[in-house]
Every structure is written in C-alpha cells, then in structure tokens.
Amino acid sequence: MKLYHKVFKNRPDLSIYLENQEPLVSYCDELLGRLSSSQNMEELCEAKKSILKDFRDIYLFDLRNAEFPELIGHFKSEKEKRRFVGKKILLQDMVRYLGSIYKKYHTLIYENSSELPAIEMKKLAIDYNEIYQKAMDDYISAITYGRKHAITASFVLPSLIEQGLSTNLQNRLLFKSICSLPDDRNLSRPLDTEEQEYISAFLHNTRNFQFNASESYVMGKMYELFVREGVLKASAEMEMILTGVGHERQKKLTRTLNALLETNFARKEIRTEYLELMKDLFVKLNIRNSIMHGVGETFDYLNLGIVSIMFQLIWDIATCEIFKDEV
C-alpha cells in the first residue's frame, strides 16, 4: 500500500519507531522490484525516477496524516513545532523507504556481481578516487556482514557528492556557454590567445591538457568572456559555479553543496526528483552537519540507509542521470 495512516511512537530513549510498518515493508518490496526487474539502462532510469516520485507523494501524505507523538521541549511557536515534526517525518520516511530500498538493491547487485559501481573522480591535490574506494570498501563490508554502520562512508560521501555535483554543473555551464558563443565575425572583439587555448582544451582535450594557471584564473577568464559576449548575464551564482567564488555588492558567494542546490542553474539542469532529494538530505535535514557534529540525540545519523541513499546519489551524478539533458 503506497499511502496509509502511519502511527509513529516514542521509545523510552525518545527515539521514534513506526508501530504499523507492515504496509510500508510490503510496498518497499514492490519498489525494489521495479529496480531489480529493469532490463536496460532506460528502464532502470525510469524506475529510479518513479521511486523518487512515489517517495515525494508518500512524504507529503505522511506530513498531513501521520500520527506523531507529542514533543517534549519548548517551541517558540506552533509553526516551529510543525516544522520540527516535518523534519522528523521526512527523516523516518527517507530511511525507511529510500534507505531500505537502495540498501537491498545494492546488496543484490553485490551478490550477483561481487562488486558495486566504480566511478572516476577528478584528480586534485586530494585523490578523491582513493577516498571513494575507502568509502566503498566500508560499505561493502557493512552490507556483507550485516553491520548497522559504514562510518567511513558516512563521513566522506557528502564531500564526494559535493565535488561530483560541482564538477558536473561547472562542466555543463562551461560547455553550454562555449557552444552559445557567437561566431568569430560577430564577437565584440577577437579571442585572445589564452581564450582560444582554453576553449580548445575544454572542447577537445580536457583530460590531458595542463593549464598554466589556477582554476579561479582560467574559469575567471571564461566567465568574463561569456559575460562580455552576452552569453551569460553577470551574476554571483554563475561566477560561483565556474570559478568557485561569486561576487555581488562586495559580498562573496562561495561554492558549497548547499549554495549549488539553491542556484537557478541547478533548478534548470537537475531533474526535479533529484533536486528535491538533495535539498531534503543536505538542506532540510542538514545531514552533513548532523554526521560531522553529532547534533542528533534521538536519531542515528550514521544509519546505513542514509549511506545507501548517498551512494545511489553519487552514482547517478557520475552517470549524469540526475540531469534533464545530455551535453
């Protein structure tokens, strides 16, 4: 059953449990079947989107209809209290639906092939590929031996997601802007030598080309070019996506995961289902800080279900499934 009246209750330690979980478990098995029965990548992509859409319907229904135990503590207003309950229900639904489904799905993949998806990340001063492999080893150990936590994965996956999303959005903005440049005859002025070299490198030889300057300088040159030629309007958001730091009225906008998710460009490029999921996870629930600083007293933020959701996210970012179109 997709939608039903849930009854959440408190344990003595004030953690939350779902009293009537049987319909949930049954429906999760149905959703898992959509993934496991997919015959090709197109069907799998559609199955993933349908699950995220169903999750959104379920959460919005539970927000209005679920029974939740009376809260203990002081709230400044009824609105603050409702917002707090909404976050608790979102967390419960996210782990019980998406976390459970993805964990079982990943377990099936590993049992059938003895491996989980490998991705190649941008090599910087920090080797993100090594970090990813550490997280993967931890996760495989957890699902193989039935552990409740994959602690290394919990701590590093938010940073890997940020790095992967940042690189993809930057590349998409860069490529689309280059392709929108006027032809040589209609440029406001001829491209200088650096601009020609950078554009050629981005279009034809990105992996092997060694830039002779920092990212902020190279991308700054590109940003100035796009604004000069009318491809982009000057904005802190676009400058931040390309260079790492945007400037507007003596204020700086630094490229972070939350900042990226709030941009108009992200809304334009990312499928609604994925954008809502990432905002739920990293903005509403503030999972990154909850994991890093241990701010949750009544929920285990190292829960393996959250790790499963983050792994599925990083794989779908790497394969560009989260985006509306190809570039």
Side-chain angles (χ1 to χ4, degrees):
M1 185 183 299
K2 177 179 175 179
L3 305 176
Y4 74 99
H5 182 77
K6 293 186 177 69
V7 180
F8 292 101
K9 291 194 173 182
N10 275 335
R11 295 189 180 93
D13 63 359
L14 300 184
S15 61
I16 303 297
Y17 71 95
L18 180 62
E19 184 178 58
N20 54 339
Q21 64 175 342
E22 291 78 13
L24 182 153
V25 173
S26 175
Y27 194 65
C28 282
D29 288 341
E30 180 182 327
L31 296 181
L32 176 63
R34 295 183 194 174
L35 296 174
S36 60
S37 63
S38 298
Q39 299 298 308
N40 51 54
M41 289 303 298
E42 184 177 353
E43 287 186 11
L44 182 59
C45 184
E46 289 302 316
K48 291 176 185 176
K49 288 190 292 181
S50 73
I51 288 171
L52 292 179
K53 288 178 180 176
D54 275 12
F55 166 73
R56 179 64 42 187
D57 293 341
I58 290 166
Y59 165 61
L60 293 176
F61 178 86
D62 290 346
L63 196 59
R64 296 187 300 268
N65 297 282
E67 285 187 37
F68 205 81
E70 185 62 30
L71 300 174
I72 299 174
H74 172 73
F75 295 90
K76 295 179 181 178
S77 65
E78 187 64 25
K79 183 178 179 181
E80 181 186 36
K81 183 177 180 180
R82 288 198 304 270
R83 188 184 303 118
F84 184 81
V85 171
K87 288 182 179 180
K88 291 291 185 181
I89 292 175
L90 175 60
L91 187 57
Q92 291 291 326
D93 280 355
M94 186 171 287
V95 170
R96 292 178 183 277
Y97 283 98
L98 296 183
S100 173
I101 294 163
Y102 290 150
K103 182 172 68 174
K104 290 178 181 178
Y105 180 54
H106 300 163
T107 301
L108 287 175
I109 293 174
Y110 188 74
E111 288 175 348
N112 291 331
S113 63
S114 299
E115 61 181 6
L116 289 175
I119 61 175
E120 184 176 351
M121 306 196 72
K122 191 176 180 181
K123 291 186 178 180
L124 303 171
I126 298 173
D127 187 350
Y128 283 96
N129 293 295
E130 181 181 2
I131 296 174
Y132 172 79
Q133 191 57 53
K134 293 287 186 183
M136 176 60 70
D137 292 344
D138 190 31
Y139 183 50
I140 288 175
S141 177
I143 62 176
T144 300
Y145 297 106
R147 300 204 320 260
K148 293 182 178 180
H149 302 125
I151 294 175
T152 300
S154 292
F155 276 86
V156 305
L157 281 173
S159 294
L160 296 181
I161 290 170
E162 178 180 77
Q163 204 271 337
L165 184 65
S166 173
T167 299
N168 272 282
L169 285 175
Q170 182 190 60
N171 287 343
R172 294 176 76 83
L173 179 56
L174 185 65
F175 183 78
K176 289 186 175 184
S177 297
I178 290 174
C179 291
S180 298
L181 284 171
D183 58 38
D184 293 344
R185 292 173 298 176
N186 295 314
L187 290 170
S188 62
R189 68 160 175 78
L191 299 177
D192 63 31
T193 302
E194 282 186 328
E195 290 168 344
Q196 292 178 25
E197 288 180 352
Y198 296 158
I199 289 174
S200 177
F202 291 133
L203 291 180
H204 307 297
N205 198 28
T206 305
R207 285 184 176 274
N208 298 322
F209 189 84
Q210 296 295 315
F211 291 103
N212 58 359
S214 65
E215 177 194 30
S216 60
Y217 177 82
V218 174
M219 292 299 177
K221 287 276 291 185
M222 293 293 96
Y223 174 71
E224 291 172 2
L225 167 62
F226 300 147
V227 171
R228 185 183 78 224
E229 299 302 332
V231 173
L232 296 179
K233 291 183 179 180
S235 75
E237 284 189 358
M238 293 303 198
E239 185 181 14
M240 176 266 289
I241 293 171
L242 282 177
T243 71
V245 180
H247 301 83
E248 187 173 8
R249 298 191 185 93
Q250 297 182 330
K251 292 183 179 179
K252 289 184 178 180
L253 179 63
T254 303
R255 189 169 60 205
T256 64
L257 181 55
N258 286 21
L260 288 168
L261 294 175
E262 296 295 339
T263 61
N264 289 324
F265 187 69
R267 284 192 286 273
K268 179 182 176 183
E269 295 293 313
I270 299 174
R271 296 184 189 277
T272 302
E273 303 89 347
Y274 282 101
L275 186 60
E276 288 177 338
L277 173 60
M278 288 189 283
K279 282 188 173 183
D280 284 346
L281 197 57
F282 297 110
V283 180
K284 281 186 183 178
L285 296 179
N286 201 13
I287 286 294
R288 190 175 197 170
N289 281 354
S290 297
I291 291 171
M292 295 299 293
H293 304 298
V295 298
E297 297 179 357
T298 59
F299 186 83
D300 179 8
Y301 284 97
L302 301 179
N303 183 289
L304 193 62
I306 294 175
V307 172
S308 299
I309 294 169
M310 290 195 290
F311 261 116
Q312 190 62 56
L313 257 179
I314 199 168
W315 295 334
D316 291 348
I317 290 171
T319 57
C320 294
E321 290 179 58
I322 72 164
F323 297 110
K324 295 176 181 178
D325 62 358
E326 297 182 1
V327 294

